[in-house]
Amino acid sequence: MKFSASFICTLCVLILVLNACGKHKTLVEIGDQQQIIHINNMSEPSEIDPHITSGLPEYRLQMAVFEGLVLKDPKTLEPKPAVADSWTISEDGTEYTFHIRDAARWSDGDKVTAYDFEYSWKRVLQPEIGNEFVTDFFVIKNAEDYYKGKIRDFSQVGIKAINESTFQIILNNPTSYFLAQMDHFPMFPVQKKTIEKFNAFKERGTGWTKPENFVGNGPFIIKEWIPQVIFSVKRNPYYWDSTNVKLNEMHFYPYENVLLEERMFAAGQIHKTEFLPTAKVDKYRNSPAYRQYPFYASYYYVFNTKLKPLDDVRVRKALAYTIDRESIVKNILRAGQTPAYHLTPDDPYGYKPRASFNYDIPLAKKLLAEAGFPDGKGFPTLELVYNTHADHLKIAVAIQEMWKQNLGINITLRNMEWKVYLDARNSHSFHILRRGNVGEVVDPGTFLFTMTSDDPLNESQWGSKRYDELIGLTKSAKSQQERFEYFQEAEQILVDEMPLIPLYIYTTNNLVSPSVKGYYNNVLDYHPYKYLYLEYMGQ
């Protein structure tokens, strides 16, 4: 996406006005004094309905205007009370009972109740909504059968409002990460009154999220949404913990150009960038604004395995084996990322994938020849699709050249704006697709569940009966060790079948103004806005 001309004009006018007044203050300095934070969101959001989106540009906004039952401590990532002020877990680990706090309110002043959560989670299980994270709910008793139409009586699903303040969940099996998922956006509640008004229970894009219609329950409410220019929020006076929210407003901008993003940061126009251009890493490496730390997220390419010749595992392996990942992280990214030879990042709490493969050009050539394409002869021209980002382009160009030199094949590149990219991804309109996966909890299931044959996020359309069995077994394992062993075997199947090409494990690589406080480095790069505040550092 191009940087909005109208927004540039707005900024320029503002800067000129300030200069004319002799104040010479930047937006960041003004924001620090007024508790207004300016953040780059990297893309225009496709929507903010938490039940129909799947991307980070949307999640970063949803965090401001919605809140789940539980959130995570930004320092420790341990669960903390949010809409629920307390909860109990049965001795066998399958029954969760949440108490909804009396002070929880929607932004129109109505009370948030357990019935709102029951209604919202029932909405997620409507196939017409097309929730891409619906499988997260399949750990709940009968949720999968209800979603697939095997049962129609929702009272048989383990989701129940006992009364206005008591919400009960019954799981199929003990699920260690379940509580930590409560602040993942598909778990956010939506207000029944608003959804019914716009007939949005089974419909997407009805307009209920427009600023004039929106009702949320988060620490902020929408102030303004000008597509391609700004999405701004202001404090929600009805939020149960509003007295502890220090920011008055948050302004999100949709710059996709990381060079421009860095310039805006350097000029004091934004407090936070989402990325830092690789060419600028050395400039900021010793700056207090530079944030680089391990990030539980993977970067990979997805094959459309329904299309020839990508339906042939020999072709997929040949393409995977000829990518020099060491060179990519050393010469292109240069911010501490690590080469990936499996999908799941090492888990700081214990899971370390054993599956792996080698950078092996001779073997790749042999496999390609066996597939009928010796030295690349007769290989069709395929297209590699990526969303707008300077690093995505650099990596794609490098891999395009590696495949040409090592295998003698030609790949074309196609850049797409975020919404167009999402459409291509969700409709499987691609040969090879750039993809990233960010863990919402520290658990290998975050990555490996998405590759089951019927998961909406499995854009490869690849499937394996044994893989599905293994993932199913992880949900009834009697110990963490047993569960991890199922994941290990599943990960090996991915390496053997190669429906995707792991490329690298992320680190964070961005800039955060030293005036931003309450922002803590953690492996989920998780920063709940209610804890942020600004400290004016000027004269």
Side-chain angles (χ1 to χ4, degrees):
M1 183 183 71
K2 295 179 180 177
F3 183 58
S4 165
S6 59
F7 181 67
I8 291 175
C9 290
T10 302
L11 285 179
C12 290
V13 168
L14 180 57
I15 292 168
L16 288 172
V17 168
L18 292 175
N19 286 340
C21 294
K23 295 180 179 177
H24 302 293
K25 286 186 178 176
T26 65
L27 279 182
V28 165
E29 290 172 324
I30 297 169
D32 290 346
Q33 291 179 306
Q34 300 180 356
Q35 293 299 316
I36 299 174
I37 192 169
H38 300 270
I39 295 176
N40 186 28
N41 194 42
M42 284 304 294
S43 297
E44 174 66 20
S46 60
E47 242 292 357
I48 60 164
D49 183 336
H51 298 162
I52 68 172
T53 61
S54 60
L56 286 176
E58 291 78 21
Y59 177 51
R60 284 190 281 267
L61 308 181
Q62 289 158 348
M63 281 183 67
V65 295
F66 293 103
E67 185 173 81
L69 292 163
V70 174
L71 51 73
K72 299 184 189 72
D73 184 293
K75 292 182 181 176
T76 66
L77 299 180
E78 291 296 317
K80 292 187 66 172
V83 175
D85 59 8
S86 63
W87 56 86
T88 59
I89 304 173
S90 64
E91 199 168 302
D92 67 358
T94 63
E95 186 175 307
Y96 286 67
T97 304
F98 296 93
H99 181 266
I100 308 299
R101 64 176 70 244
D102 292 340
R105 293 289 184 278
W106 294 102
S107 55
D108 64 357
D110 285 1
K111 193 169 183 178
V112 178
T113 71
Y115 297 110
D116 291 313
F117 280 91
E118 181 186 88
Y119 177 81
S120 299
W121 289 22
K122 182 178 180 181
R123 181 178 185 244
V124 172
L125 292 175
Q126 305 306 308
E128 295 88 345
I129 285 293
N131 187 294
E132 295 184 47
F133 290 93
V134 69
T135 56
D136 288 354
F137 290 78
F138 289 176
V139 297
I140 299 172
K141 179 185 174 185
N142 288 331
E144 183 172 4
D145 284 349
Y146 179 81
Y147 174 75
K148 294 180 176 177
K150 295 179 180 177
I151 62 172
R152 298 189 178 281
D153 181 2
F154 191 73
S155 68
Q156 297 181 41
V157 179
I159 298 171
K160 188 174 183 59
I162 303 297
N163 53 46
E164 198 172 74
S165 60
T166 309
F167 184 53
Q168 185 184 71
I169 301 297
I170 298 175
L171 305 180
N172 295 313
N173 295 288
T175 305
S176 58
Y177 58 87
F178 182 70
L179 196 60
Q181 273 194 326
M182 292 300 100
D183 60 354
H184 195 208
F185 52 88
M187 309 290 185
F188 287 158
V190 293
Q191 189 191 44
K192 180 178 181 179
K193 181 173 71 176
T194 302
I195 296 298
E196 297 291 311
K197 179 179 178 182
F198 288 88
N199 194 29
F201 185 65
K202 296 185 179 182
E203 295 288 334
R204 300 165 65 99
T206 61
W208 76 269
T209 56
K210 292 182 179 178
E212 64 271 24
N213 305 325
F214 182 79
V215 176
N217 74 322
F220 299 91
I221 56 175
I222 303 174
K223 177 185 177 185
E224 186 178 36
W225 185 358
I226 303 175
Q228 310 294 350
V229 179
I230 191 171
F231 183 99
S232 65
V233 298
K234 59 184 179 183
R235 290 164 60 108
N236 173 9
Y238 290 104
Y239 179 58
W240 66 270
D241 199 23
S242 63
T243 55
N244 289 315
V245 177
K246 297 183 177 65
L247 292 175
N248 289 319
E249 294 184 12
M250 304 185 72
H251 294 189
F252 298 89
Y253 306 107
Y255 323 149
E256 289 188 347
N257 185 322
V258 292
L259 288 171
L260 178 59
E261 181 186 43
E262 184 274 332
R263 289 189 200 118
M264 297 303 289
F265 183 87
Q269 303 306 312
I270 55 176
H271 286 89
K272 177 179 177 294
T273 71
E274 190 57 29
F275 293 97
L276 179 64
T278 53
K280 301 288 185 179
V281 169
D282 290 340
K283 173 182 175 182
Y284 288 98
R285 198 176 292 280
N286 297 318
S287 165
Y290 185 50
R291 299 275 181 155
Q292 181 194 319
Y293 48 86
F295 185 21
Y296 195 60
S298 283
Y299 187 104
Y300 52 94
Y301 283 173
V302 176
F303 293 122
N304 187 336
T305 63
K306 293 298 183 185
L307 300 179
K308 291 185 178 300
L310 299 174
D311 59 344
D312 189 327
V313 65
R314 295 169 297 185
V315 171
R316 300 197 296 266
K317 284 186 171 181
L319 293 169
Y321 294 171
T322 46
I323 295 174
D324 185 351
R325 293 161 180 77
E326 302 283 346
S327 175
I328 288 172
V329 301
K330 179 180 179 183
N331 300 315
I332 297 177
L333 299 170
R334 301 171 57 240
Q337 297 88 348
T338 56
Y341 299 91
H342 43 71
L343 176 62
T344 309
D346 285 355
D347 171 351
Y349 303 130
Y351 178 77
K352 299 186 186 307
R354 293 193 295 265
S356 186
F357 57 93
N358 295 322
Y359 172 50
D360 191 336
I361 295 173
L363 178 57
K365 287 183 173 181
K366 179 174 179 290
L367 289 169
L368 197 64
E370 289 176 358
F373 306 104
D375 297 322
K377 292 174 183 173
F379 195 87
T381 299
L382 302 180
E383 183 177 77
L384 168 58
V385 168
Y386 59 94
N387 57 301
T388 304
H389 191 290
D391 286 351
H392 299 337
L393 171 62
K394 290 178 182 177
I395 293 168
V397 169
I399 291 176
Q400 179 189 44
E401 185 60 23
M402 291 175 193
W403 284 340
K404 185 175 181 60
Q405 286 190 3
N406 297 329
L407 297 175
I409 64 176
N410 292 310
I411 302 290
T412 60
L413 307 181
R414 187 177 181 192
N415 170 68
M416 291 181 174
E417 293 181 357
W418 181 243
K419 290 182 182 178
V420 180
Y421 164 83
L422 289 178
D423 287 342
R425 193 180 87 182
N426 296 335
S427 63
H428 311 294
S429 302
F430 62 87
H431 297 132
I432 306 170
L433 178 88
R434 185 214 75 84
R435 193 70 164 85
N437 192 344
V438 176
E440 70 268 15
V441 295
V442 181
D443 186 88
T446 294
F447 302 89
L448 297 175
F449 289 167
T450 65
M451 292 306 294
T452 53
S453 51
D454 61 352
D455 193 291
L457 292 173
N458 179 3
E459 293 96 1
S460 74
Q461 303 181 80
W462 166 85
S464 159
K465 183 179 178 182
R466 178 57 181 163
Y467 186 92
D468 292 350
E469 287 175 353
L470 289 164
I471 295 303
L473 288 168
T474 67
K475 298 172 183 175
S476 59
K478 292 182 174 56
S479 69
Q480 191 72 308
Q481 183 179 359
E482 178 185 344
R483 184 167 177 266
F484 281 179
E485 284 304 312
Y486 292 135
F487 280 132
Q488 294 284 5
E489 186 178 342
E491 190 115 30
Q492 185 62 53
I493 291 174
L494 287 184
V495 167
D496 292 340
E497 295 286 326
M498 208 68 79
L500 52 84
I501 309 178
L503 291 173
Y504 68 86
I505 305 301
Y506 279 89
T507 58
T508 62
N509 177 42
N510 64 345
L511 300 170
V512 180
S513 169
S515 67
V516 178
K517 305 300 180 184
Y519 189 101
Y520 304 100
N521 299 351
N522 61 67
V523 295
L524 296 180
D525 202 25
Y526 173 81
H527 310 286
Y529 303 138
K530 65 182 288 183
Y531 298 115
L532 300 184
Y533 63 97
L534 302 170
E535 186 173 275
Y536 182 55
M537 305 179 78
Q539 297 297 319

